[in-house]
Amino acid sequence: MNIQMKLKQKIQLLLIFISAIIYLVAIGYISINARQTAYKDNKKLVDTQVSNFAGQIQGQMNRNMAVARTLALSLSNYQVMPKDQWLDFVNQVYEEVFPEYRDFYNLWDSWELNVIDSSYSKPYGRIVNEHFRDQGIVKSKRTKSSMDGDNKLYQQIKESNKEMVFPLYFDLFSEGKSERKLMTSLLVPIRQDDGGYAGVIGIDITMDRFQEILGNVQIRGLEKSRAFLLSHQWKYAAHPDTSNLNEKIAVNPTARKDFNLHDKLAKGNSFSIIQKREGHRKQYVSYAPVRIGRTGTPWYLGIAVPVDQIMAQADQHFMISLIVGIVGLLILSGVIYYITRSITHPIERVTRVLKQMARGRISQDMKLNIQTGDEIEEMALALNTSIDGLNKKNQFASHLGHGELDYNYQMISDEDQLGQSLLEMRDSLKKAREEEEKRRKEEQKRQWTNEGLTQFADILRQNNDELNKLTDELIKKLVHYLEANQGGIFLMEDQDENDQHLELYSAFAFDRKKHHQKRIDLGDGLVGTCAIEKETIYLEEIPQDYIEITSGLGDANPDSLLIVPIKMEDTLYGVLEIASFHTFEQYQIDFVERVAENIASSISSIKVNMRTQKLLEQSEQQAQELSSQEEEMRQNMEELKTTQEEAARQKSNMEGLVNAFQNAHYIVEYDTDEKIIEINDHYLNLLGLNREEVLGTHHSYKMKTTSEQQEGYKKFWDDLRAGKVKKMTNVVEHNGKEFVFAETYTPIKDQEGNIQKIMKIAIEASEFDLEKYICQQ
């Protein structure tokens, strides 16, 4: 049948047919491609969620491991005190740390007895300190363990001597507790100086909080997903089905015969698998490692999602695309009937631009100039507007990439979501930069303060035998460290109770020390006011004639003045005055106040030692005079009987003086091997000790030494053996009481000049006002 059709109709029919074919192919391609893309996007979403939640768990585990590592490092200096004192100190540390970490189920340690107790020689046996919560109440206990030999598990910990994570267990150490939970332990060894094993710090944590984290794992659009956590032995540490806890995951959950999941997990990398078990739905499972500290044995977080749920969204999109395509085809057929070929060329131009945009190309030469007076022209104008907007966004993103966060961007409209996202990203980057700058400044302040305290501690330690030299070094260092211009140290002169005043001991300005004889009465001026009130005075508006700073450029008033009392507790020892052309920040003022406290402590010790030395010299002078008189009396014994009687009376008086000196001071004699060879009764009665248990013990017996004293301990005794007189302050602890002594060590020589012994004369500084006593004498 030959159908007669006009050319126009043939062209229209041909266009409809060709357009329909092209449209269907395009829709089919786009739909299939969209289905595949949706499937890939959902898998990528699952992988991202696994990585995010694994990071959360890893962060929590590593924070706990960091606490254990810090405790192990802090407690590695166990040699500084006897075993019982050290164990009491460890428990005090735990009492401070344990309440701060509510997620710790148990905080414990294990100390090798042969390491902390020199009298114990067996290769096994240990002391365990434990802090735990039982029904919300913090409890602690100390036990001895492995006294008959180490068990296999503890032997593995000892031989490993490195950080490790315990295998999962149901509350293995729960004696005396009321509940049992699935948990693990984070272990960090306590090492000796040579790297040997001294003990271990353990933090027991339950799996409850990880079970809670898994309960919050929600993937938008994939509500049937489930998450689980595997330990390094591939056992379930957390699982939606709690009956699976502490059970090992299957070796091969896939349809592949040669697949081994355990080998895959052992590599420590992220991966995903399609899991298919008989009688179960096919699932997409993504795994992400959870690396804990320095153990080298990662845990794993896994999220499983049914494959059909992942595909459901993709299938839905595919069906919608097909329906839209069919409807569009019908509409297209009607539209083509009324459209002429004049629209072909502008559509091709628009298509070319769209393809370029799809490939990511954006430039001004892509803008179209179409003037058809219809929707195509409007489409071209809209496309041109989009190109302008994308160009602006591209420029804005480029400036952001170069760190120009103040670059401005004007949104196209209130509906410009991409522009709004870029602006929010810029604001987030600004905030992150500001927070980083703030954190950096705070860290610099802390570092500045810590370095300064260390430097001033060295000055106080190295110059603790001469007050003038100490104050000179202190004020010079303080002016330089604060970048100030000048300063002075005024010390309290209180020997005469009726004439207490401040005396300028040291002043420093522009690298030149200025020697003054300056007296300030209490309450006189700002310095005197500071001494009376014992509070810091800081001024930024200084009276015109108060002080001048002199330099090579002339004289000028300072911009700020800082006056800080040198006090220890409520006792005033002096005042610090510092002037500067720049203002002081609060952290600098706090730093100067801390330095002032340390100066007060050192000045107190120096004054006590100076007065003690003076008493000792007077005593030695009297002893020498008595010896001379005795020798003279022996030579003239027959001729001067009356003189001998007088000498006997003087000797009796001197013995009374020596006895009085013995009763007023605590005297200990040491041999050159640092062992006690004599101790007076006054010292024994104070501490409540027997002479037999003290004689022959080491100098450090019952002493509580600081870290600085430990570092200089060998030099201290080398100086004594070299004939130098040494002074120091020590703390002696006995029966739970602490006694603070200001001590002077004097080497005693024989007739050949050899050091025969060391005599220590001490004054108790904790309960006795030594300065007042010396002044009364």
Side-chain angles (χ1 to χ4, degrees):
M1 182 178 177
N2 186 14
I3 300 176
Q4 297 295 325
M5 299 179 65
K6 296 180 180 181
L7 180 59
K8 180 179 179 180
Q9 293 173 335
K10 290 182 179 180
I11 295 174
Q12 290 174 344
L13 182 60
L14 180 62
L15 288 175
I16 292 173
F17 178 78
I18 294 174
S19 299
I21 296 298
I22 294 174
Y23 191 86
L24 289 174
V25 171
I27 290 296
Y29 174 78
I30 293 173
S31 300
I32 294 173
N33 191 52
R35 185 173 184 268
Q36 294 176 348
T37 301
Y39 178 70
K40 291 179 181 178
D41 289 344
N42 283 335
K43 291 201 298 183
K44 186 176 181 181
L45 177 61
V46 174
D47 295 343
T48 301
Q49 290 293 87
V50 167
S51 179
N52 291 340
F53 283 96
Q56 293 182 26
I57 296 174
Q58 179 173 301
Q60 292 193 18
M61 296 284 274
N62 283 335
R63 281 193 293 272
N64 293 341
M65 185 66 83
V67 173
R69 191 182 300 122
T70 301
L71 286 173
L73 182 61
S74 301
L75 300 178
S76 60
N77 58 346
Y78 53 86
Q79 302 98 332
V80 300
M81 62 181 69
K83 177 189 68 175
D84 293 336
Q85 296 180 20
W86 179 249
L87 292 176
D88 291 339
F89 171 75
V90 169
N91 273 329
Q92 293 175 10
V93 172
Y94 291 168
E95 289 173 1
E96 293 291 331
V97 172
F98 189 70
E100 295 296 323
Y101 294 87
R102 303 296 303 174
D103 53 348
F104 286 4
Y105 185 72
N106 196 354
L107 173 60
W108 57 274
D109 61 31
S110 175
W111 294 88
E112 292 294 298
L113 272 172
N114 58 14
V115 172
I116 64 173
D117 189 349
S118 59
S119 64
Y120 189 88
S121 60
K122 295 181 180 180
Y124 50 82
R126 52 197 176 99
I127 292 180
V128 179
N129 295 296
E130 184 178 5
H131 278 64
F132 57 90
R133 292 183 177 87
D134 189 7
Q135 295 183 346
I137 300 175
V138 176
K139 298 181 180 180
S140 64
K141 63 181 180 180
R142 178 187 298 167
T143 57
K144 287 187 177 181
S145 182
S146 303
M147 302 307 293
D148 298 324
D150 294 327
N151 58 48
K152 183 177 180 181
L153 186 57
Y154 184 75
Q155 187 65 32
Q156 292 176 355
I157 297 173
K158 185 190 296 187
E159 293 174 355
S160 172
N161 196 18
K162 62 181 182 180
E163 293 182 7
M164 63 184 298
V165 181
F166 237 91
L168 295 174
Y169 59 92
F170 281 97
D171 200 1
L172 185 63
F173 306 103
S174 62
E175 293 85 352
K177 301 179 186 176
S178 61
E179 53 182 349
R180 293 171 59 85
K181 298 181 179 181
L182 181 64
M183 57 198 309
T184 188
S185 299
L186 307 180
L187 307 178
V188 177
I190 304 171
R191 297 188 176 95
Q192 304 180 55
D193 292 340
D194 60 356
Y197 180 85
V200 65
I201 297 291
I203 295 177
D204 299 340
I205 57 175
T206 68
M207 298 297 103
D208 293 352
R209 55 176 168 162
F210 302 124
Q211 192 77 20
E212 184 176 278
I213 290 176
L214 298 190
N216 294 328
V217 175
Q218 294 291 334
I219 303 178
R220 185 176 179 182
L222 302 174
E223 288 74 18
K224 295 183 180 180
S225 61
R226 61 180 179 85
F228 55 88
L229 180 64
L230 297 177
S231 72
H232 59 282
Q233 293 185 324
W234 322 138
K235 292 184 177 182
Y236 289 110
H239 195 278
D241 184 1
T242 56
S243 63
N244 290 328
L245 295 179
N246 208 25
E247 295 294 330
K248 207 162 192 176
I249 194 170
V251 176
N252 185 3
T254 70
R256 293 164 46 188
K257 295 183 179 180
D258 58 345
F259 183 81
N260 189 311
L261 179 60
H262 294 180
D263 292 343
K264 194 78 172 176
L265 293 170
K267 295 179 180 179
N269 300 319
S270 298
F271 64 96
S272 60
I273 63 172
I274 298 298
Q275 182 170 300
K276 181 65 176 76
R277 292 183 297 172
E278 185 175 354
H280 293 80
R281 300 163 68 184
K282 185 187 296 185
Q283 294 184 322
Y284 173 79
V285 186
S286 181
Y287 293 88
V290 178
R291 294 181 173 86
I292 305 172
R294 304 166 184 166
T295 61
T297 54
W299 288 26
Y300 266 88
L301 177 67
I303 294 182
V305 183
V307 174
D308 55 2
Q309 188 180 16
I310 297 177
M311 293 300 300
Q313 191 176 20
D315 291 339
Q316 183 181 8
H317 292 167
F318 178 75
M319 292 303 299
I320 292 174
S321 298
L322 288 180
I323 295 172
V324 170
I326 294 173
V327 173
L329 180 60
L330 295 175
I331 295 174
L332 179 63
S333 299
V335 172
I336 289 177
Y337 184 81
Y338 301 102
I339 296 177
T340 65
R341 292 186 61 187
S342 60
I343 67 173
T344 304
H345 181 65
I347 289 179
E348 289 177 351
R349 293 174 60 190
V350 172
T351 302
R352 284 197 299 269
V353 173
L354 289 174
K355 288 182 177 179
Q356 291 176 348
M357 293 176 64
R359 291 194 296 268
R361 182 175 179 270
I362 299 293
S363 67
Q364 289 295 326
D365 59 5
M366 294 170 56
K367 296 175 68 174
L368 299 174
N369 183 16
I370 298 176
Q371 299 178 356
T372 60
D374 55 16
E375 291 80 6
I376 295 178
E377 181 178 346
E378 294 177 1
M379 182 172 62
L381 292 175
L383 185 59
N384 290 340
T385 302
S386 298
I387 291 172
D388 288 336
L390 290 174
N391 272 321
K392 292 180 180 178
K393 293 179 177 68
N394 187 32
Q395 292 176 3
F396 182 63
S398 178
H399 284 284
L400 291 182
H402 288 85
E404 300 174 16
L405 301 183
D406 293 326
Y407 187 83
N408 192 27
Y409 169 75
Q410 188 68 33
M411 291 194 301
I412 298 174
S413 68
D414 295 335
E415 299 176 355
D416 187 1
Q417 296 182 358
L418 178 57
Q420 181 65 32
S421 297
L422 288 173
L423 290 175
E424 291 175 356
M425 180 179 71
R426 181 194 64 183
D427 295 339
S428 297
L429 291 174
K430 278 186 177 181
K431 184 176 179 181
R433 176 183 288 182
E434 292 171 356
E435 290 178 351
E436 175 61 21
E437 182 65 18
K438 181 179 179 182
R439 185 202 62 77
R440 184 184 63 80
K441 289 182 179 180
E442 291 298 327
E443 181 62 28
Q444 287 177 347
K445 291 178 182 178
R446 285 193 294 271
Q447 184 177 358
W448 182 89
T449 299
N450 293 336
E451 290 178 355
L453 291 175
T454 301
Q455 293 178 21
F456 280 95
D458 292 338
I459 294 175
L460 292 171
R461 184 173 61 254
Q462 296 169 4
N463 301 278
N464 61 1
D465 56 351
E466 187 176 347
L467 193 56
N468 288 329
K469 182 178 179 182
L470 174 63
T471 56
D472 286 348
E473 292 294 327
L474 287 172
I475 194 61
K476 178 180 178 181
K477 181 64 178 178
L478 192 58
V479 170
H480 281 301
Y481 199 74
L482 293 173
E483 297 181 357
N485 300 96
Q486 66 184 35
I489 294 181
F490 299 84
L491 295 186
M492 188 73 177
E493 295 294 338
D494 55 359
Q495 289 85 353
D496 186 353
E497 293 184 357
N498 298 320
D499 185 25
Q500 295 186 358
H501 63 277
L502 293 169
E503 193 76 27
L504 178 64
Y505 263 63
S506 294
F508 186 83
F510 290 104
D511 288 330
R512 301 194 304 274
K513 177 182 177 185
K514 297 182 178 181
H515 298 278
H516 302 278
Q517 294 295 327
K518 189 173 181 182
R519 166 195 172 108
I520 296 179
D521 294 326
L522 301 183
D524 186 11
L526 293 177
V527 174
T529 301
C530 178
I532 289 293
E533 297 180 354
K534 299 180 183 178
E535 296 292 339
T536 298
I537 298 175
Y538 176 57
L539 299 176
E540 294 184 2
E541 295 181 1
I542 303 172
Q544 186 67 24
D545 299 330
Y546 180 77
I547 190 173
E548 284 187 348
I549 296 177
T550 302
S551 69
L553 301 178
D555 300 336
N557 280 337
D559 292 330
S560 61
L561 181 68
L562 179 62
I563 304 175
V564 178
I566 302 173
K567 64 179 183 177
M568 185 172 64
E569 295 180 352
D570 199 40
T571 303
L572 182 73
Y573 291 92
V575 174
L576 268 174
E577 182 182 35
I578 301 172
S580 175
F581 281 135
H582 64 77
T583 59
F584 294 107
E585 295 188 28
Q586 185 59 45
Y587 77 93
Q588 293 176 310
I589 297 174
D590 295 339
F591 168 75
V592 175
E593 289 176 342
R594 293 179 65 182
V595 171
E597 291 178 1
N598 295 338
I599 294 174
S601 178
S602 296
I603 290 176
S604 173
S605 299
I606 291 174
K607 286 188 174 181
V608 169
N609 292 338
M610 290 173 60
R611 292 170 183 172
T612 303
Q613 182 65 24
K614 185 176 180 181
L615 283 177
L616 180 61
E617 291 174 354
Q618 292 176 353
S619 175
E620 290 178 349
Q621 183 180 359
Q622 292 175 353
Q624 291 175 0
E625 292 175 356
L626 178 61
S627 177
S628 175
Q629 292 173 0
E630 288 178 344
E631 181 65 24
E632 185 177 353
M633 284 191 296
R634 281 194 297 271
Q635 294 176 357
N636 301 283
M637 184 179 297
E638 294 180 356
E639 300 176 358
L640 304 172
K641 289 184 178 180
T642 57
T643 304
Q644 183 182 30
E645 293 173 356
E646 180 65 18
R649 187 182 64 81
Q650 291 183 0
K651 181 177 180 182
S652 177
N653 291 339
M654 183 55 64
E655 289 177 351
L657 177 63
V658 171
N659 291 333
F661 186 84
Q662 286 272 359
N663 292 328
H665 296 78
Y666 306 101
I667 302 175
V668 183
E669 295 180 5
Y670 303 91
D671 61 18
T672 56
D673 292 330
E674 307 172 15
K675 300 294 181 62
I676 298 176
I677 58 176
E678 187 54 62
I679 182 170
N680 69 347
D681 294 334
H682 191 40
Y683 202 146
L684 293 172
N685 294 335
L686 175 68
L687 299 181
L689 297 172
N690 295 322
R691 186 179 304 276
E692 290 75 18
E693 68 177 296
V694 176
L695 293 180
T697 60
H698 192 262
H699 167 261
S700 61
Y701 178 66
K702 292 188 178 296
M703 281 189 180
K704 187 176 181 181
T705 57
T706 65
S707 57
E708 288 83 2
Q709 289 175 325
Q710 294 172 14
E711 292 176 359
Y713 193 80
K714 183 177 183 302
K715 185 178 183 304
F716 172 83
W717 274 98
D718 289 342
D719 289 344
L720 289 175
R721 286 188 280 263
K724 296 181 180 179
V725 176
K726 303 293 289 184
K727 302 173 182 179
M728 69 185 301
T729 300
N730 271 320
V731 177
V732 174
E733 186 178 48
H734 182 66
N735 290 335
K737 294 184 178 179
E738 291 187 354
F739 302 88
V740 183
F741 295 98
E743 303 173 340
T744 300
Y745 293 78
T746 304
I748 306 301
K749 300 179 180 179
D750 58 16
Q751 294 180 352
E752 288 76 22
N754 298 321
I755 302 300
Q756 182 180 9
K757 59 184 178 180
I758 308 297
M759 175 179 288
K760 176 179 77 176
I761 299 176
I763 298 175
E764 185 186 5
S766 59
E767 298 180 356
F768 189 77
D769 191 345
L770 182 59
E771 295 186 11
K772 183 175 180 181
Y773 169 79
I774 295 176
C775 292
Q776 291 176 349
Q777 299 302 311

